[in-house]
Amino acid sequence: MHSFSPLLVVAVALIDPDGRVLLQQRPPGKPMAGLWEFPGGKIEPGETPELALIRELEEELGIRTHASCLAPATFASEALGERHLLLLLYVCRKWEGIPEARHATALKWVRPAQMYALDMPPADLPLIGLLDALI
Ligand SMILES: Nc1nc2c([nH]c(=O)n2[C@H]2C[C@H](O)[C@@H](COP(=O)(O)OP(=O)(O)OP(=O)(O)O)O2)c(=O)[nH]1
């Protein structure tokens, strides 16, 4: 029987009071370098999605949030080389600290409609319209 072992990734749309969303640019040397993505990363064994996201936000942006501030929004399902990516997208409007690019090349606050003009990973493209309707 074929065994399905997806790559589980958790990511978040941080939304500011003006309805803009934070994107970060993937650094050189990583797959999909230069593309604009939602902050997040792989869920490590034993982690819940929420704890993985809280950890990634601290590591990547130096901000702190709480599981109760993370609302499940939608997901992406996409072939990724030999693997299959399942990306769980949360939204978050409440955090502590000011995001700084600790891993990314750059950060950018954008409205969902502006995302169509940016290079984003293929899995993210179906998420843009959903975010636009949600915010
Ligand atoms: N964070 C994030 N990853 C995305 C998005 N869209 C998308 O296809 N991905 C893919 C890219 C990667 O294959 C995977 C995330 O893995 P990663 O390597 O960036 O995560 P990580 O922070 O755990 O990285 P590392 O420790 O392995 O370097 O998900 C997105 O919007 N945000």
Side-chain angles (χ1 to χ4, degrees), residues 31-104:
M32 299 197 271
L35 300 195
W36 291 90
E37 67 172 11
F38 301 102
K42 299 181 195 91
I43 302 176
E44 303 293 344
E47 269 184 337
T48 63
E50 292 78 14
L51 285 180
L53 197 44
I54 289 167
R55 174 183 53 74
E56 291 282 359
L57 288 176
E58 173 77 51
E59 287 173 9
E60 293 182 346
L61 300 172
I63 63 170
R64 290 156 300 286
T65 190
H66 195 266
S68 62
C69 300
L70 298 172
T74 182
F75 70 95
S77 173
E78 183 85 17
L80 191 75
E82 304 278 279
R83 302 290 301 272
H84 190 91
L85 171 71
L86 285 182
L87 183 147
L88 309 177
L89 187 74
Y90 287 72
V91 295
C92 175
R93 297 177 189 267
K94 235 174 103 182
W95 61 88
E96 285 168 18
I98 297 169
E100 53 180 63
R102 295 190 172 173
H103 290 189

